[in-house]
């Protein structure tokens, strides 16, 4: 190795300067504004923030309370089907149950149908990452190298489409709504498409390129807990099949909490239901496929409207009210401390 020696500069040579450039930025001479905090500005800020948060929070809570909603737990009412589904050997046997309920008042405007699950944890790390985003984009990938294990391939080597624990545990109950008018029964028309986000259906999920879906998924098999292959999820609408099926897309959006609801259908506003759901007697007819007893879960059907602030969740409004209350109380505390100190200062000056 060559030794590098730093020789001192010879006499007459200029030493390189280590001083920063004489500019406003490097010499820290840029104009700056430093707020002068006074008691008036501080108190006005706290009270204005408190008033703003309280007003917004109250508006959000009132808006959430104006949502019309009915929730029905059908876990116990379909107990016979639940016992049948707990035995995995009965996976191919159909089981139906009915749940009757009454609407005392009309539910106007758009009505949304949700399914709800209780005590179903989707936030476990291994569950959340158990998917192949490349496969869901319609690409030909080797899922053995993905995080889908153990739901990747069958023993004979046939790959699963879609792979992963999230897809395998997809909610697959079929729920129909009927309106009992006098002696006749009218099926409420429900929309099964248009329920997912545009970005999901056009960006995150794509079907493989092929002339038809059955050939596109040739050489693959359905997940173990599914009753149909992915290209037959919707036998009535070919455009709602494969990875761009609305029910599948919504299920793949995992929840952070153990109790959650997912959008299932929307009431189509035609004929007797042009203005929503009229008051009267209704029946849910359920094809029971999704077992919940083993993990002590519950299943619900929810009919709900929406308002400008969203659904019936008052959490955001409560958070604003708490923040506004805290800011207002802080303002009063600072005011009391200021008056006490000013009174003491005046006393000593006398």
């Amino acid at each position: 190795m060559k030794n590098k020696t730093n020789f001192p500069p010879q006499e007459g040579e200029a030493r390189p300067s280590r001083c920063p450039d004489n500019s406003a930025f490097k010499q820290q001479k840029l104009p700056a504004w430093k707020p002068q905090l006074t008691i008036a500005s501080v108190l006005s800020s706290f009270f204005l923030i408190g008033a703003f948060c309280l007003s917004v929070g109250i508006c959000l809570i009132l808006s959430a309370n104006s949502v019309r909603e009915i929730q029905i737990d059908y876990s116990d009412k379909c107990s016979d089907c639940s016992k049948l589904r707990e035995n995995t050997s009965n996976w191919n046997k159909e089981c139906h149950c009915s749940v009757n309920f009454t609407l005392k008042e009309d539910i106007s405007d758009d009505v949304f149908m949700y399914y709800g699950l209780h005590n179903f944890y989707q936030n476990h790390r291994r569950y959340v990452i158990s998917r192949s985003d490349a496969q869901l984009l319609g690409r030909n990938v080797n899922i053995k190298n993905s995080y889908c294990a153990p739901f990747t391939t069958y023993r004979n080597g046939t790959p699963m489409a879609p792979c992963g624990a999230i897809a395998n545990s997809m909610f697959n109950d079929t729920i129909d709504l009927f309106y009992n008018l006098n002696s006749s029964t009218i099926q409420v028309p429900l929309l099964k498409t248009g329920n997912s986000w545009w970005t999901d259906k056009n960006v995150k999920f794509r079907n493989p390129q092929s002339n038809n879906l059955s050939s596109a998924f040739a050489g693959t098999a359905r997940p173990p807990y599914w009753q149909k292959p992915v290209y037959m999820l919707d036998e009535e609408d070919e455009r709602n099949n494969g990875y761009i099926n609305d029910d599948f897309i919504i299920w793949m959006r995992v929840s952070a909490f153990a109790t959650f609801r997912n959008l299932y259908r929307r009431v189509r506003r035609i004929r007797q239901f042009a203005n929503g759901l009229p008051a009267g007697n209704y029946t849910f007819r359920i094809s029971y496929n999704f077992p919940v007893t083993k993990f002590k879960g519950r299943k619900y059907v929810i009919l709900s409207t929406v308002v400008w602030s969203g659904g019936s969740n008052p959490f955001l409004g409560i958070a604003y009210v708490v923040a506004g209350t805290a800011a207002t109380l802080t303002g009063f505390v600072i005011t009391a401390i200021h008056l006490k100190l000013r009174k003491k200062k005046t006393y000593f000056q006398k």
Side-chain angles (χ1 to χ4, degrees), residues 111-114 175 177 190 263-265 284 301-303:
V111 182
F112 298 83
M113 181 189 293
Y114 301 83
I175 306 171
L177 179 60
L190 301 174
L263 181 59
Y264 182 68
R265 296 289 184 265
F284 281 124
V301 184
I302 302 108
L303 294 174

Side-chain angles (χ1 to χ4, degrees), residues 24-25 27-36:
F25 178 75
Q27 295 296 334
Q28 300 183 11
K29 295 180 180 179
L30 290 174
W33 175 74
K34 184 177 181 181
Q36 299 294 328

Side-chain angles (χ1 to χ4, degrees), residues 134-192:
Q135 183 194 47
L136 298 176
L137 284 172
R139 299 172 185 171
N140 187 13
V141 294
N142 184 8
I143 59 174
K144 291 183 179 180
N145 300 326
S146 67
Y147 293 104
C148 289
F151 301 102
T152 52
T153 60
Y154 287 92
R155 292 181 180 179
N156 59 2
T158 305
M160 300 180 190
C163 70
I166 306 176
N168 183 58
S169 61
M170 177 180 168
F171 183 85
N172 57 352
D173 282 1
T174 302
I175 306 171
D176 294 316
L177 179 60
F178 292 87
Y179 177 43
N180 304 317
L181 181 61
N182 299 326
S183 59
S184 61
T185 301
I186 304 171
Q187 185 170 3
V188 179
L190 301 174
L191 296 172
K192 62 176 67 175

Side-chain angles (χ1 to χ4, degrees), residues 230-259:
V230 67
Y231 55 86
M232 293 180 61
L233 289 178
D234 190 349
E235 298 179 356
E236 299 177 358
D237 188 355
E238 295 182 356
R239 298 171 299 177
N240 190 37
N241 268 316
Y243 297 146
I244 59 173
N245 175 267
D246 276 49
D247 292 339
F248 173 70
I249 290 174
I250 292 173
W251 177 260
M252 294 299 290
R253 193 186 310 136
V254 296
S255 173
F257 301 100
T259 299

Side-chain angles (χ1 to χ4, degrees), residues 85-112:
R85 283 289 170 260
E86 292 306 319
N87 189 347
T88 55
S89 62
N90 299 325
W91 67 270
N92 59 344
K93 296 181 180 179
E94 294 186 359
C95 189
H96 303 272
C97 58
S98 299
V99 179
N100 299 318
F101 67 97
T102 301
L103 288 181
K104 297 181 179 180
E105 298 179 355
D106 296 347
I107 300 181
S108 304
D109 300 325
D110 294 328
V111 182
F112 298 83

